[in-house]
Amino acid sequence: MPDARPSPILISDVQETVARELERIAPLIDDLGARFRDAGHELALVGGPVRDAMLGRLQNDLDFTTSAHPDVTEKLLKGWADALWDMGRDFGTIGCRKGEWQVEITTYRSEKYDATSRKPDVAYGDSLVGDLGRRDFTVNSMALTVPDRGFEDPFGGIVDLAARTLRTPGRPEDSFSDDPLRMMRAARFAAQLGFDVAPEVVAAMTAMAGRIEIISAERVRDELVKLICAPYPRRGLLLLVETGLASYVLPELPALALERDEHHRHKDVYEHTLIVLEQSIDQEERLGNGPDFVSRFAALMHDVGKPRTRRFEDGGVVTFHHHDVVGAKITRKRMKALRFSNDEIDAVAKLVELHLRFHGYGDGEWTDSAVRRYVRDAGDQLERLHILTRADCTTRNQRKAARLRKAYDDLEERIARLSEEEELASIRPDLDGTQIMEILGIPPGREVGEAYSFLLELRMDEGPQSEEDAKAALLAWWAARV
Ligand code: ATP
Ligand code: MG
């Protein structure tokens, strides 16, 4: 599993990595640094890119902090940058692109977070150290001044980085009072970097979890998405559940942990869910697009209907009838509350709703008609449904697992074969609306729609038909109608 604890980081390795990364960005930071210096301003690479340079995971996004105010920054970038944007101006940020580099330059800040407001109050600061002191974690509070390349690390970020630990620059309680979103960010960075969160920080998160409620759903969602799409999502999710944050932002997840029945006859649905998530991640290359949020979130939500549908039948049998349908409903509601787009909501809910369908397949008992319906109902989520259904097998019984795998291989082969023969993905009735109206001699209206549905059903049940046969069937249906 990708969650194995990474080995400790050696400072000598960090030095080497940084030297290499600096070499790569030297042309840009030297040039830009000189521009600001010549205008009498300070400029420093800060936060994520400094941390990531040390970890050897620096991408092409470079964040800087500066003593210059945004209008001055804008002037200094004009004529140098290839493109410029200022959507962040109210927050002190000017962005630009220079070659392959995305640059964001933000004026020193000394903001306080007003606990009753949803927006941070921006107040410009006057020193680099002051700016670093208001950042979330010590590993994000390091800076490299340019062009002179001075290393600024007032809170011991490099020590915490070597120990793979997330710690706040000041007291965590004060930090989380200023901005409760930082509690989510702790879990997100734990998931992204594979770091531990310092015990006093976990304690503060636990004590203050409820404060997350003042944060807008959009900001919470963005952190949750980053956490779920990270290399170690289990780490972040465990932390959210342990601290109680999940009870506010994703209550369906801790609810699964209550599902263990007294006799331990039923698997712990919570642990099962985390394994399904990891098994789904293992298959993501099928989609060929890197981390896939929809697929991962569907894995996380696929059983959320279980707590509400659990019944204890006679003889100690536990059932979860319709937990797929109920789960899809719960998923929609949660994603709506977190302000996800309708497309994302539809995709995840569809996967949750269909995740059990394959269980009727047995050893290949489905008719071609059932296979067609499966493909049609999955629509553009078919590939993800393959992933989820396969991931949903967490039995330790090797023989059972192998049998399920083989049955699913078989289903996929049948889908491929039928698709080749019939263009399954775009199943349409054998006659179109115009033909229906002509054959029945009726004008556009509800009846044409009904005839169309009838032909579509027929097409699914019987496969493609000749125009003659379809016409005969349509007329028979029409005649039998009252
Ligand atoms: P990435 O961009 O890879 O997700 P990052 O560390 O750059 O990671 P951002 O959210 O882009 O994270 O934030 C940039 C920097 O700004 C952080 O490294 C941190 O120093 C600071 N920061 C961002 N959000 C907060 C916050 N809510 N409270 C305090 N500091 C923050
Ligand atoms: Mg960033």
Side-chain angles (χ1 to χ4, degrees):
M1 280 299 89
D3 219 318
R5 179 135 179 83
S7 45
I9 299 173
L10 303 176
I11 296 286
S12 54
D13 287 347
V14 172
Q15 279 176 331
E16 219 169 273
T17 312
V18 170
R20 203 171 45 240
E21 296 281 39
L22 278 183
E23 199 59 40
R24 192 162 71 90
I25 61 174
L28 185 129
I29 57 174
D30 292 349
D31 191 16
L32 193 60
R35 263 182 117 82
F36 276 72
R37 181 199 54 205
D38 295 347
H41 280 291
E42 298 171 4
L43 183 71
L45 191 68
V46 73
V50 177
R51 176 198 70 216
D52 290 344
M54 292 179 170
L55 295 171
R57 64 195 286 281
L58 183 60
Q59 309 277 315
N60 287 4
D61 291 346
L62 299 178
D63 299 336
F64 292 88
T65 183
T66 181
S67 57
H69 284 201
D71 47 328
V72 176
T73 297
E74 189 175 25
K75 278 204 197 91
L76 289 170
L77 292 178
K78 268 203 180 129
W80 177 82
D82 300 332
L84 214 123
W85 54 90
D86 73 340
M87 282 101 72
R89 185 189 294 270
D90 291 348
F91 291 89
T93 304
I94 303 290
C96 74
R97 186 178 61 77
K98 172 79 170 172
E100 60 189 309
W101 306 100
Q102 302 281 341
V103 173
E104 284 198 348
I105 304 181
T106 304
T107 308
Y108 292 157
R109 284 197 218 164
S110 61
E111 82 197 20
K112 276 276 167 260
Y113 201 86
D114 175 355
T116 57
S117 132
R118 286 178 172 242
K119 284 207 186 93
D121 266 335
V122 175
Y124 294 139
D126 51 16
S127 78
L128 175 57
V129 171
D131 180 272
L132 294 175
R134 54 153 280 279
R135 289 176 183 262
D136 48 5
F137 303 105
T138 61
V139 294
N140 290 340
S141 306
M142 299 184 277
L144 182 81
T145 58
V146 292
D148 59 306
R149 301 194 185 180
F151 180 50
E152 201 66 65
D153 180 19
F155 305 101
I158 193 164
V159 177
D160 289 333
L161 181 129
R164 295 187 186 272
T165 302
L166 292 164
R167 200 186 301 283
T168 51
R171 279 176 11 105
E173 291 80 5
D174 297 338
S175 176
F176 298 156
S177 281
D178 284 350
D179 180 2
L181 185 72
R182 292 172 186 162
M183 299 188 284
M184 290 292 298
R185 290 174 62 87
R188 187 256 277 201
F189 285 116
Q192 280 185 331
L193 305 172
F195 281 22
D196 285 324
V197 180
E200 73 275 14
V201 176
V202 175
M205 287 165 75
T206 308
M208 300 172 70
R211 304 272 193 102
I212 198 65
E213 291 203 295
I214 64 160
I215 301 296
S216 74
E218 289 83 355
R219 294 181 77 205
V220 168
R221 175 202 60 205
D222 289 348
E223 290 300 329
L224 200 59
V225 169
K226 285 182 183 175
L227 184 161
I228 289 168
C229 290
Y232 314 101
R234 176 190 281 262
R235 247 167 209 272
L237 293 167
L238 287 178
L239 204 59
L240 290 184
V241 172
E242 261 166 44
T243 56
L245 273 162
S247 305
Y248 296 94
V249 302
L250 194 62
E252 294 76 15
L253 189 62
L256 296 175
L258 305 176
E259 275 310 281
R260 184 176 250 153
D261 68 311
E262 323 84 282
H263 309 295
H264 293 264
R265 256 193 316 255
H266 217 89
K267 249 181 307 188
D268 183 346
V269 184
Y270 175 57
E271 178 55 28
H272 162 75
T273 294
L274 292 176
I275 297 175
V276 173
L277 170 63
E278 287 166 336
Q279 295 190 155
S280 142
I281 292 171
D282 288 343
Q283 297 175 72
E284 249 168 16
E285 44 204 62
R286 282 187 75 144
L287 301 167
N289 253 331
D292 184 65
F293 174 74
V294 167
S295 179
R296 293 185 183 201
F297 201 57
L300 211 50
M301 302 300 277
H302 80 284
D303 272 347
V304 296
K306 278 196 169 174
R308 209 177 287 175
T309 55
R310 179 166 64 166
R311 298 278 178 277
F312 295 101
E313 313 284 343
D314 293 342
V317 179
V318 184
T319 60
F320 304 95
H321 290 310
H322 305 303
H323 79 262
D324 43 355
V325 181
V326 172
K329 251 194 196 148
I330 295 174
T331 299
R332 276 189 181 281
K333 212 168 150 203
R334 175 57 46 205
M335 290 185 80
K336 215 168 171 178
L338 285 167
R339 307 272 195 281
F340 279 98
S341 71
N342 287 334
D343 284 352
E344 287 168 301
I345 297 176
D346 289 344
V348 178
K350 179 181 273 185
L351 289 164
V352 173
E353 185 166 343
L354 292 178
H355 85 272
L356 280 182
R357 174 82 71 90
F358 168 70
H359 285 248
Y361 189 75
D363 291 317
E365 270 91 68
W366 277 3
T367 58
D368 281 355
S369 153
V371 176
R372 285 187 198 104
R373 271 170 216 283
Y374 189 70
V375 172
R376 186 186 152 86
D377 290 348
D380 52 4
Q381 299 307 316
L382 183 62
E383 199 63 23
R384 290 192 178 108
L385 183 59
H386 292 334
I387 292 178
L388 177 60
T389 309
R390 287 178 182 277
D392 193 15
C393 170
T394 61
T395 175
R396 280 201 212 100
N397 180 334
Q398 299 283 341
R399 284 214 350 247
K400 194 170 164 198
R403 201 176 66 236
L404 280 168
R405 204 161 39 237
K406 217 183 130 287
Y408 208 90
D409 289 345
D410 183 57
L411 173 59
E412 282 201 54
E413 270 162 37
R414 283 181 70 187
I415 290 173
R417 195 156 12 92
L418 280 175
S419 302
E420 215 166 272
E421 290 163 14
E422 312 178 8
E423 288 176 55
L424 264 201
S426 54
I427 282 195
R428 268 183 295 276
D430 298 287
L431 302 170
D432 65 19
T434 316
Q435 290 170 304
I436 291 171
M437 290 188 283
E438 241 175 58
I439 293 165
L440 299 181
I442 55 172
R446 192 172 48 85
E447 288 168 325
V448 181
E450 286 171 19
Y452 191 90
S453 305
F454 161 72
L455 287 167
L456 183 58
E457 289 296 309
L458 189 72
R459 169 70 180 73
M460 299 252 236
D461 288 338
E462 312 277 333
Q465 301 202 331
S466 70
E467 201 178 315
E468 285 308 291
D469 290 349
K471 189 174 163 183
L474 176 64
L475 286 168
W477 170 79
W478 183 248
R481 251 173 52 112
V482 270

